[in-house]
Amino acid sequence: MANELIEMRQLTKTFKSQLAVDHVDLTIRKGDIFGLIGPNGAGKSTLLKMLAGFIHPTAGDIILFNHNAQANPGYYERMGILIEQVGVFPQYTGYKNLDLIALAYGFKNRKAEITNLLNMVDLSSASKTKVKDYSMGMKQRLGIAMALLGSPDVLILDEPTNGLDPQGIASIRQLILELNKAGLTIIISSHILEELSKVATQYAIINQGKIIETMSKDELLLKCEDRIEVEVDQAKVAVPILEEWLGIKRYKVISERVIHIYEQQIKSQQIVKALADENLFVHAIKNQSQSLEHYFLERIERIGEQDD
Ligand SMILES: Nc1ncnc2c1ncn2[C@@H]1O[C@H](COP(=O)(O)OP(=O)(O)OP(=O)(O)O)[C@@H](O)[C@H]1O
């Protein structure tokens, strides 16, 4: 489909005996801010490095812009990437650092492109300052400008807010949103779901090299929304009663016995009473709320337990 910019099919990377990325299937669409979330060592950087063509997969395929990237490596050039530490010459200015790369790439209109990029990442006023005098946040923004040289279609950012202060984090977040608004598809990794949730529109959770869940922003918010969990004998019998008597519309049947109700104005007692009036017994009922971080940790732990 035209909207699918990147497809990973059974993508796998092994370092000697270490399985870093394990048969990953993922699709990234045009306009996504795709958040790859996972704990340390989960395989995020390895996955991103494969997408950028920095390292070769052990098995599986990467399809970039409908072409197999391994067979057509030119498509990797349409990916801009910033991985962990920015590789810069600290004794040179921001402008000069960008110019060195532009020169190496053989860009014709270097001055205009660099001026435009510095403006975009809000470093125009520091273009003549040596990078050794930049804050961490400024260095990251320079790194993003470097990744944007050559106008890629996709920007890959590996933990771009790591080690930044709140102001630095906010400015990177703002930049990501602006670049996306201007049409750039962005893939961003993080080990903090709360931070990712401020920008990402799609999510994949990775743990021990495997994708354990993918979801949209709306799906994630729903999973973490305050709710009442009701356990009954048969959810399919209870639901029509709750719809009719309490007018609930926002609910999800989790299993044969469990329903989640997201109507904030409805109280547990009303649910128990409505069901009791129809001779249905409530086995358990509780209010639940969980933070994004709690949800993420719970997912990771649950998978860990299954593996034990
Ligand atoms: N070049 C390498 N040689 C050997 N093992 C590697 C190499 N690169 C990564 N690994 C291993 O692969 C696994 C995944 O590492 P990766 O850096 O991709 O994880 P990550 O999710 O990016 O973690 P972090 O947030 O800590 O960087 C880890 O067990 C790591 O030790």
Side-chain angles (χ1 to χ4, degrees), residues 15-16 18-21 38-47 49 84 158-159 162 191 206:
F15 295 106
K16 295 195 178 130
Q18 173 73 41
L19 185 55
V21 172
N40 289 338
K44 304 181 294 294
S45 300
T46 306
L47 184 76
K49 283 178 192 162
E84 290 150 9
D158 191 15
E159 307 250 10
N162 243 7
H191 59 278
I206 185 167

Side-chain angles (χ1 to χ4, degrees), residues 1-243:
M1 269 167 62
N3 271 347
E4 292 170 356
L5 290 194
I6 302 174
E7 263 188 79
M8 291 157 248
R9 295 183 187 155
Q10 296 290 293
L11 193 61
T12 300
K13 180 71 187 179
T14 311
F15 295 106
K16 295 195 178 130
S17 59
Q18 173 73 41
L19 185 55
V21 172
D22 188 359
H23 297 88
V24 163
D25 288 313
L26 276 181
T27 300
I28 294 167
R29 293 186 176 76
K30 190 171 169 46
D32 280 349
I33 299 182
F34 193 96
L36 185 63
I37 171 93
N40 289 338
K44 304 181 294 294
S45 300
T46 306
L47 184 76
L48 298 184
K49 283 178 192 162
M50 285 193 280
L51 291 187
F54 287 4
I55 56 173
H56 294 294
T58 310
D61 289 307
I62 300 172
I63 314 294
L64 298 181
F65 314 99
N66 288 318
H67 298 270
N68 186 303
Q70 291 109 303
N72 302 275
Y75 285 97
Y76 288 122
E77 286 169 21
R78 289 167 66 179
M79 319 289 278
I81 183 158
L82 172 63
I83 294 261
E84 290 150 9
Q85 290 295 307
V86 185
V88 286
F89 294 105
Q91 71 278 25
Y92 290 157
T93 64
Y95 186 98
K96 176 110 186 204
N97 268 282
L98 284 167
D99 199 31
L100 285 173
I101 301 177
L103 201 61
Y105 283 164
F107 291 140
K108 290 206 174 67
N109 202 355
R110 300 197 324 262
K111 191 166 182 203
E113 179 152 8
I114 293 169
T115 307
N116 181 32
L117 278 175
L118 285 167
N119 195 23
M120 205 182 282
V121 301
D122 201 16
L123 283 177
S124 298
S125 57
S127 68
K128 295 195 171 69
T129 306
K130 288 183 177 167
V131 171
K132 67 181 170 61
D133 297 324
Y134 277 17
S135 68
M136 285 278 287
M138 289 163 82
K139 278 189 200 144
Q140 276 307 74
R141 281 186 278 135
L142 179 64
I144 293 178
M146 287 172 162
L148 290 172
L149 268 170
S151 308
D153 293 290
V154 179
L155 178 65
I156 299 174
L157 302 172
D158 191 15
E159 307 250 10
T161 54
N162 243 7
L164 300 189
D165 61 15
Q167 196 188 354
I169 292 174
S171 80
I172 295 288
R173 194 189 297 151
Q174 183 65 23
L175 178 58
I176 288 169
L177 292 171
E178 278 167 17
L179 292 171
N180 180 251
K181 213 169 163 190
L184 201 63
T185 302
I186 298 173
I187 307 171
I188 173 170
S189 76
S190 178
H191 59 278
I192 305 171
L193 184 54
E194 192 72 45
E195 177 51 36
L196 212 50
S197 73
K198 308 241 167 63
V199 290
T201 55
Q202 296 290 328
Y203 297 82
I205 301 182
I206 185 167
N207 192 32
Q208 295 172 4
K210 287 194 180 72
I211 300 297
I212 57 174
E213 189 167 12
T214 56
M215 65 205 139
S216 67
K217 182 176 189 133
D218 286 349
E219 285 165 341
L220 175 65
L221 292 178
L222 193 62
K223 284 172 199 289
C224 296
E225 195 177 354
D226 289 354
R227 61 186 169 234
I228 298 174
E229 181 176 284
V230 193
E231 188 181 340
V232 289
D233 280 325
Q234 289 188 64
K236 66 177 183 211
V237 178
V239 162
I241 295 167
L242 295 172
E243 281 177 330

